[in-house]
Amino acid sequence: NAGVTQTPKFQVLKTGQSMTLQCAQDMNHNSMYWYRQDPGMGLRLIYYSASEGTTDKGEVPNGYNVSRLNKREFSLRLESAAPSQTSVYFCASSAAGAFEETQYFGPGTRLLVL
Amino acid sequence: GNSVTQMEGPVTLSEEAFLTINCTYTATGYPSLFWYVQYPGEGLQLLLKATKADDKGSNKGFEATYRKETTSFHLEKGSVQVSDSAVYFCALSMNTGFQKLVFGTGTRLLVSP
């Protein structure tokens, strides 16, 4: 099992460009998440999908959109990138989103917006 | 809102030293508490957790006790190894509704031989 995979690993964008970060999990999990990690701020939740067909905003959703393509895949789109979106992005999944569950994280995508 | 506060790092120790990383939380209600670890170049992985007061989570020689009276969940290990060098995140999720983890800022641990 690969667990949670993310592509690309690293990306450089110019301000105003768009891109989609891809995430897939092979654990048959219902719930998936997108976080950003910034120095000195820990991880912050951008969007989550409790189950296939549903998505909801997290703590910092502005400037992002998401798509839960199917049970396996959950993508994050930046429509018009800004330097403030320079960050490391992590995708995670969990079985059903219950409060005590373990979340499984991908290796991350490092994004630099110039 | 709910929040997690961790001690500033880096924490620098020699191999076989005793480790404590402090974590306190603020929450309206009763959260579950977690420690996640991030090794260099990797995503986070669960280290241990506790879902109610006085529970002790343990894994790989690490342990933490959920202290409701002091709103704390300090991480300890009796004898650290070089391979424990990583960033450690304390996190909480409220025990109602869908899980939304709230993370602390992380504490980097550096263990030298």
Side-chain angles (χ1 to χ4, degrees), chain A residues 77-96:
Chain A
R77 183 159 178 84
L78 287 69
E79 291 290 353
S80 178
S84 61
Q85 295 178 303
T86 293
S87 188
V88 181
Y89 292 85
F90 287 100
C91 178
S93 71
S94 67

Side-chain angles (χ1 to χ4, degrees), chain A residues 37 97 99-103, chain B residues 36 38 46 49 93 95 99:
Chain A
Q37 182 182 30
F99 64 84
E100 78 280 11
E101 283 181 359
T102 299
Q103 289 191 16
Chain B
Y36 278 82
Q38 184 180 30
L46 181 70
K49 64 182 178 184
S93 71
N95 289 357
Q99 185 190 60

Side-chain angles (χ1 to χ4, degrees), chain A residues 4-13 19-24 33-38 43 46 64 74-78 85-92 105-113, chain B residues 38 41-44:
Chain A
V4 180
T5 56
Q6 293 183 235
T7 54
K9 286 190 169 63
F10 181 72
Q11 184 73 45
V12 179
L13 291 179
M19 79 163 295
T20 299
L21 282 65
Q22 306 287 353
C23 173
Y33 314 79
W34 276 105
Y35 294 91
R36 59 178 290 171
Q37 182 182 30
D38 301 298
L43 278 76
I46 304 172
Y64 306 95
F74 188 38
S75 62
L76 179 72
R77 183 159 178 84
L78 287 69
Q85 295 178 303
T86 293
S87 188
V88 181
Y89 292 85
F90 287 100
C91 178
F105 286 78
T109 294
R110 189 173 296 272
L111 176 66
L112 175 62
V113 183
Chain B
Q38 184 180 30
E42 298 183 11
L44 281 71

Side-chain angles (χ1 to χ4, degrees), chain B residues 25-42:
Chain B
Y25 68 89
T26 301
T28 51
Y30 302 104
S32 290
L33 301 171
F34 304 81
W35 278 102
Y36 278 82
V37 59
Q38 184 180 30
Y39 297 104
E42 298 183 11

